[in-house]
Amino acid sequence: MNKKLISKNHFHFIGIGGIGMSAIAMALIKKGYSVSGSDLVQNKETKSLKRLGAIIFDSQIKKNIDFVISKFQDQTINFVISSAIKDENEELYFCKKNNLLIKHRSEILAMIMNSYTSLSIAGSHGKTSTSTFLSTLLELCTHDSSSITGGIIPIYDSNAHIENTKYLVTEIDESDGTIKNYNSDIGIINNIDFDHCDHYSNIDEVLSSFKKFASNSQKLLINYDCKFTKNNFTSENQWSIKERDNIAYSLIPNVINKDKTIGKYYEHGKFIDNLNIPVPGLHNLSNITAAIAACRMVGVSFKEIKKNTESLKLPKKRFEFRGELNQRIIYDDYAHHPNEIKATINLARLFIKNTNSSDRGERGRLIAIFQPHRFTRVKQFIHEFVKELSKADVIYITNIFGAGEKNIDNIDSQLIANLIYKNNKNVKCLKDNYEINEKFFKLTKKNDFIINMGAGDCHNLWSILQNKNTFND
């Protein structure tokens, strides 16, 4: 059960507006700590923190630090950063110069986890979705669960839900190597892939980080369908959506469509029951199976789980329906790695049906709008991006979101488009969301299914489109 955390501490977050940082800040406030933070962009998260009593600065200057030190001089002040904060940041530079107490966000999250029975989701893909599914099931089945995740969980309408509960669901970031800082009661490894090539040089380095996470977990739950987890980790707790023999938890699908997946659920090879999953997509079925398995590992009855699977929903920006403009359907997805794009396009295909002239006219096209994320990722995976994006009917690629990286190799989106053109002539580079907005009805047709993908600022496209003066062709 909840243990008392360190008292007489104040936490100042440098870059508090990010969804991961804001979730930890919200958790600390709920725990009774005083919190302040700074960010150049004010958003929904910073507004929520203000309502909870946090002091939020809309600049990142030395004067903020002076104010915090003066106001909270009777407390130990922890200056919290993420790996995204660069050394030249004025607040961070001042803290380092004056030998102030600097903590990485992972250290603070690890501290919070220690006061709960923690269930921690790590993995290259699907962490936020799995965290959302597990948070939902634990909340509805036990009413004794809290969550800190990297996305908005529909049941809470927040990325942080902190109460005096037994369980805590957390999403663990492996991108910067800080995955080694966490000690979990149940560690869950969704899958492992080579990514974050700004930090890791090869897959062996990625595996090394996950192995440290695994060794720090009292119990380990692994995805048996992922070759890297299957071949590099040993655990009596595995899940699969492909195999049932010698597998602890299996959910084998037999009906798959755009509305649901129906499958047979097994434990240790024994058939338990049929499950109707209201979330489409095989990758989501795997994530949900992981959540079910984790619930079973902490003693939740299968009867309770089955009853509450009908409430499962995807988090925001994970195949999120945004709306329809003149018979053009638009979805948002966070996909920014080739394997994520593959899964998202496969899911989108389930939604596209043949139509005849008597109802909606010609068959709709699948349009992929993609904003690449990080120059290092584009350089490393350019051919994989080309392969997966080419599977859409029409592809529009916008500017690369650098995420603070410098473009030292002079990489741009046109390089991807030129390679796609060899396989699919329906590809074009566009500057940004505003150019898409200006040309939207020239770029699209009625019945088109549009999936807008990326991890940068591409997800404001729907808001920009809504501000059009007219929705007529």
Side-chain angles (χ1 to χ4, degrees):
M1 192 58 98
N2 230 332
K3 308 177 193 102
K4 185 175 177 62
L5 295 179
I6 306 164
S7 61
K8 299 295 286 183
N9 275 259
H10 175 81
F11 296 87
H12 177 81
F13 287 75
I14 302 175
I16 200 169
I19 199 158
M21 293 280 269
S22 65
I24 296 171
M26 287 180 188
L28 289 170
I29 293 172
K30 287 290 190 75
K31 288 289 183 185
Y33 291 100
S34 59
V35 168
S36 60
S38 63
D39 210 293
L40 300 178
V41 178
Q42 302 299 296
N43 55 23
K44 179 182 177 182
E45 283 69 41
T46 56
K47 291 176 182 176
S48 295
L49 288 166
K50 280 184 179 179
R51 286 195 294 269
L52 290 172
I55 300 170
I56 306 295
F57 302 96
D58 59 6
S59 63
Q60 293 188 316
I61 57 178
K62 169 184 172 295
K63 191 180 294 185
N64 300 341
I65 306 299
D66 290 333
F67 176 86
V68 170
I69 291 173
S70 174
K71 183 172 179 61
F72 300 100
Q73 55 186 297
D74 60 336
Q75 299 188 42
T76 299
I77 302 174
N78 301 264
F79 294 94
V80 186
I81 62 168
S82 71
S83 298
I85 304 302
K86 306 303 180 185
D87 287 342
E88 56 266 27
N89 179 285
E90 187 174 331
E91 286 189 357
L92 178 57
Y93 178 81
F94 180 80
C95 289
K96 285 187 172 182
K97 184 179 178 181
N98 290 276
N99 296 314
L100 301 178
L101 182 59
I102 300 170
K103 298 277 191 178
H104 191 273
R105 64 177 292 276
S106 60
E107 297 177 78
I108 309 304
L109 178 55
M111 178 191 78
I112 296 170
M113 286 167 54
N114 287 336
S115 64
Y116 294 87
T117 296
S118 60
L119 298 91
S120 305
I121 297 93
S124 299
H125 315 296
K127 293 185 294 292
T128 301
S129 294
T130 304
S131 301
T132 296
F133 299 142
L134 179 53
S135 296
T136 302
L137 288 177
L138 270 185
E139 174 66 30
L140 295 177
C141 293
T142 71
H143 306 289
D144 200 11
S145 184
S146 297
S147 298
I148 301 175
T149 68
I152 304 301
I153 302 173
I155 195 172
Y156 300 134
D157 193 28
S158 175
N159 55 340
H161 174 75
I162 294 293
E163 301 295 343
N164 187 27
T165 59
K166 178 178 182 179
Y167 302 111
L168 174 66
V169 177
T170 58
E171 178 179 340
I172 303 301
D173 179 25
E174 83 287 354
S175 66
D176 54 6
T178 57
I179 186 173
K180 66 181 183 295
N181 291 337
Y182 302 99
N183 297 291
S184 307
D185 292 288
I186 295 180
I188 303 164
I189 302 181
N190 248 22
N191 45 60
I192 298 175
D193 213 341
F194 181 45
D195 195 7
H196 307 294
C197 22
D198 55 316
H199 181 81
Y200 299 105
S201 299
N202 51 54
I203 187 64
D204 289 333
E205 290 184 5
V206 178
L207 283 167
S208 179
S209 284
F210 279 95
K211 286 177 179 178
K212 184 62 176 174
F213 170 78
S215 68
N216 288 342
S217 301
Q218 291 188 27
K219 292 183 179 180
L220 184 65
L221 174 62
I222 62 171
N223 181 0
Y224 198 76
D225 298 331
C226 169
K227 65 178 182 180
F228 289 116
T229 54
K230 176 181 178 180
N231 295 333
N232 290 278
F233 298 85
T234 301
S235 174
E236 63 182 14
N237 298 295
Q238 329 94 342
W239 82 87
S240 174
I241 62 169
K242 297 178 180 179
E243 302 181 41
R244 73 184 194 195
D245 295 334
N246 301 313
I247 303 294
Y249 309 95
S250 301
L251 183 48
I252 311 299
N254 50 28
V255 175
I256 303 171
N257 58 42
K258 72 180 185 67
D259 298 312
K260 62 188 176 184
T261 302
I262 299 174
K264 296 182 178 296
Y265 178 70
Y266 300 83
E267 289 189 0
H268 304 286
K270 179 183 177 182
F271 174 70
I272 304 298
D273 206 344
N274 291 304
L275 279 178
N276 189 328
I277 305 298
V279 180
L282 285 176
H283 59 299
N284 288 319
L285 181 66
S286 179
N287 296 335
I288 290 169
T289 306
I292 292 171
C295 286
R296 295 292 288 138
M297 287 175 67
V298 297
V300 179
S301 73
F302 177 78
K303 182 179 179 181
E304 279 295 310
I305 292 171
K306 180 175 181 178
K307 181 178 72 174
N308 289 301
T309 51
E310 64 185 27
S311 299
L312 293 175
K313 295 179 181 179
L314 282 163
K316 291 184 181 298
K317 298 182 184 177
R318 272 63 176 182
F319 215 79
E320 180 185 5
F321 174 65
R322 299 310 304 273
E324 183 173 344
L325 297 181
N326 281 32
Q327 297 180 32
R328 296 151 171 87
I329 296 171
I330 302 175
Y331 276 75
D332 257 344
D333 197 273
Y334 197 66
H336 55 282
H337 183 280
N339 284 339
E340 296 167 352
I341 291 171
K342 178 180 180 179
T344 300
I345 287 179
N346 285 342
L347 180 53
R349 287 293 180 193
L350 290 177
F351 283 72
I352 298 178
K353 296 181 178 180
N354 290 320
T355 57
N356 57 52
S357 57
S358 65
D359 53 75
R360 295 186 69 191
E362 65 181 273
R363 184 176 182 271
R365 305 174 300 172
L366 172 57
I367 295 182
I369 301 174
F370 177 55
Q371 181 189 46
H373 186 262
R374 291 189 177 275
F375 302 106
T376 52
R377 186 179 282 117
V378 173
K379 180 183 179 182
Q380 179 68 40
F381 299 114
I382 187 166
H383 296 291
E384 290 84 354
F385 279 125
V386 169
K387 177 184 177 182
E388 300 307 333
L389 288 167
S390 295
K391 295 175 182 177
D393 299 316
V394 181
I395 307 101
Y396 298 121
I397 305 176
T398 65
N399 59 305
I400 298 175
F401 189 88
E405 289 185 345
K406 294 181 179 179
N407 188 9
I408 58 177
D409 294 302
N410 197 29
I411 291 173
D412 60 26
S413 296
Q414 191 63 52
L415 294 173
I416 306 174
N418 291 343
L419 291 172
I420 290 175
Y421 189 79
K422 296 177 181 179
N423 302 316
N424 187 335
K425 301 295 189 271
N426 296 315
V427 60
K428 186 174 183 178
C429 268
L430 299 167
K431 183 180 179 183
D432 53 27
N433 286 339
Y434 293 96
E435 185 174 2
I436 296 173
N437 175 57
E438 292 171 6
K439 302 176 180 177
F440 185 72
F441 292 114
K442 293 181 180 179
L443 299 172
T444 62
K445 298 179 181 179
K446 289 182 178 180
N447 302 328
D448 281 345
F449 190 99
I450 302 165
I451 182 72
N452 180 40
M453 297 179 287
D457 58 7
C458 57
H459 301 290
N460 63 10
L461 174 61
W462 176 247
S463 298
I464 295 171
L465 289 172
Q466 280 187 304
N467 290 329
K468 291 181 73 72
N469 294 323
T470 175
F471 290 160
N472 296 321
D473 289 294

